[in-house]
Amino acid sequence: MALSVREYRARIKSTESMKKITRAMELIAASRIIKAQQRAQAAAPYARELTRAVSAVATYSNVDHALTVEPEDPKKAAVLIVTSDRGLAGAYSSSVIKEAERLVEKLKGEGKEVDLYTSGRKGEAYFKFRQREVVQAWTGFSDQPTYDVAAEIGATLIATFLADAEDSDSDVRDVDEVHVVYTRFRSMLSQEPTAVRLLPLEVVEGTEAPDKADLLPLYEFEPSPSEVLDSLLPRYVQSRIFFALLQAAASELAARQKAMKAATDNADELIKKYKRIANQARQAGITQEISEIVGGVNALADAQAGSE
């Protein structure tokens, strides 16, 4: 029985050590999430105004740009999946991967081939384990993304989208659509996996286009609408990707804080349980020892009485 008590004491000690780790990770995530929220909020006005500008040029000019023209018969799509680099964030990465799988099945059901791009080690590892090709992966920045990374991702996806569009001998593009799957940060308790079509241009700020009378006085297209689109659209794509990365970073930290808090609470419950069982085992051992002593005394007294 004493051996069992020692085992429970060892479990209590190891659980207390694990609790310290999960508590520290919870506090780290809590300290970082405020900054992540502030970065996402700070990026929102720029993304919103850039969307308004692009919407104005794309909607109220007669320019057909390669990034805005809808293909007649799309055959291939690229999907960028934004996951985390590290685990211990609950169902954060698995939720966005499930949303991506639903999108892939939908695109394949429409007769389109799908090229996969990933941001974060979890997404890359998921598809690699299943022996599914990932065209390109970006890792090492999931909880602290930078605009340089977003610009690199955006440039890669735009180049893929326009791979054959500039070829005068062919009207077939290598990729006809570009989609992004990420986790939208709603609140500390709610993060929503979201799929957005990025290219051809799909304005995602609001459900209705701004009124023409509101837009035309605000913008003058110089030197020409075509050149304005050439300059704005790559920035628009990069800003949307950067905004998605910032939203995903805030969501990852919120999910990690929630997961680590749950782990800390579970550790507390385990410690209480082990202490209770250890006390019961110790009391049972003491009771058994007392019973053995009393039994021995009685046996000794009976033996003495019999000898007399």
Side-chain angles (χ1 to χ4, degrees):
M1 190 63 66
L3 179 62
S4 178
V5 172
R6 286 199 298 269
E7 287 179 346
Y8 281 116
R9 285 176 179 171
R11 291 187 181 184
I12 291 170
K13 186 176 180 180
S14 63
T15 307
E16 286 176 342
S17 299
M18 184 62 68
K19 175 186 171 183
K20 291 179 182 178
I21 296 173
T22 57
R23 178 61 176 166
M25 295 184 67
E26 176 189 351
L27 294 176
I28 291 172
S31 65
R32 290 181 177 177
I33 193 172
I34 302 299
K35 185 177 180 180
Q37 285 181 271
Q38 291 173 346
R39 292 185 69 196
Q41 292 171 356
Y46 174 78
R48 183 167 53 249
E49 291 305 318
L50 185 58
T51 299
R52 280 174 54 86
V54 171
S55 176
V57 183
T59 305
Y60 301 108
S61 68
N62 296 322
V63 176
D64 290 332
H65 194 277
L67 297 180
T68 63
V69 175
E70 292 278 351
E72 294 182 1
D73 187 21
K75 295 294 185 182
K76 200 171 186 180
V79 178
L80 172 65
I81 306 164
V82 182
T83 61
S84 66
D85 286 315
R86 297 182 293 121
L88 301 177
Y92 167 75
S93 292
S94 61
S95 296
V96 73
I97 288 174
K98 287 179 181 178
E99 181 67 24
E101 291 285 28
R102 283 193 288 268
L103 175 61
V104 170
E105 289 300 320
K106 176 184 175 184
L107 294 173
K108 289 183 176 179
E110 296 171 356
K112 302 172 185 174
E113 297 180 29
V114 178
D115 283 346
L116 297 174
Y117 296 78
T118 62
S119 171
R121 293 188 179 91
K122 290 297 180 182
E124 181 184 15
Y126 173 87
F127 293 108
K128 184 177 180 180
F129 179 77
R130 287 158 180 77
Q131 299 181 348
R132 294 167 64 181
E133 180 185 3
V134 174
V135 177
Q136 190 166 347
W138 294 270
T139 60
F141 55 84
S142 67
D143 57 347
Q144 293 181 327
T146 63
Y147 189 83
D148 291 340
V149 173
E152 179 185 345
I153 296 174
T156 300
L157 294 177
I158 290 174
T160 303
F161 185 77
L162 299 177
D164 296 323
E166 298 176 356
D167 187 355
S168 59
D169 297 330
S170 175
D171 294 330
V172 179
R173 292 181 291 191
D174 186 51
V175 167
D176 300 305
E177 297 177 359
V178 175
H179 299 259
V180 180
V181 184
Y182 68 101
T183 305
R184 184 183 295 272
F185 181 85
R186 297 293 187 185
S187 68
M188 288 294 297
L189 300 177
S190 175
Q191 299 86 42
E192 178 186 356
T194 305
V196 175
R197 196 190 77 173
L198 200 61
L199 293 173
L201 175 64
E202 183 176 69
V203 179
V204 296
E205 295 285 347
T207 56
E208 298 181 358
D211 185 69
K212 183 176 181 179
D214 293 335
L215 284 174
L216 289 180
L218 295 177
Y219 302 104
E220 294 182 4
F221 307 140
E222 294 182 357
S224 68
S226 177
E227 293 182 71
V228 171
L229 280 177
D230 286 339
S231 177
L232 282 183
L233 284 176
R235 295 178 181 271
Y236 168 79
V237 172
Q238 293 167 1
S239 72
R240 295 307 308 178
I241 292 175
F242 185 49
F243 186 69
L245 293 177
L246 291 176
Q247 289 275 308
S251 299
E252 177 186 346
L253 291 170
R256 180 166 291 114
Q257 182 190 12
K258 185 165 60 176
M260 291 301 96
K261 185 180 185 306
T264 303
D265 293 341
N266 289 338
D268 275 331
E269 293 298 323
L270 275 176
I271 291 171
K272 292 178 182 178
K273 176 183 177 181
Y274 289 149
K275 284 183 176 179
R276 184 173 62 252
I277 296 175
N279 288 335
Q280 291 174 350
R282 183 174 59 84
Q283 291 170 0
I286 293 172
T287 302
Q288 182 176 353
E289 289 175 0
I290 292 174
S291 298
E292 290 174 354
I293 292 172
V294 172
V297 171
N298 291 336
L300 184 58
D302 293 339
Q304 289 177 350
S307 64
E308 293 176 356

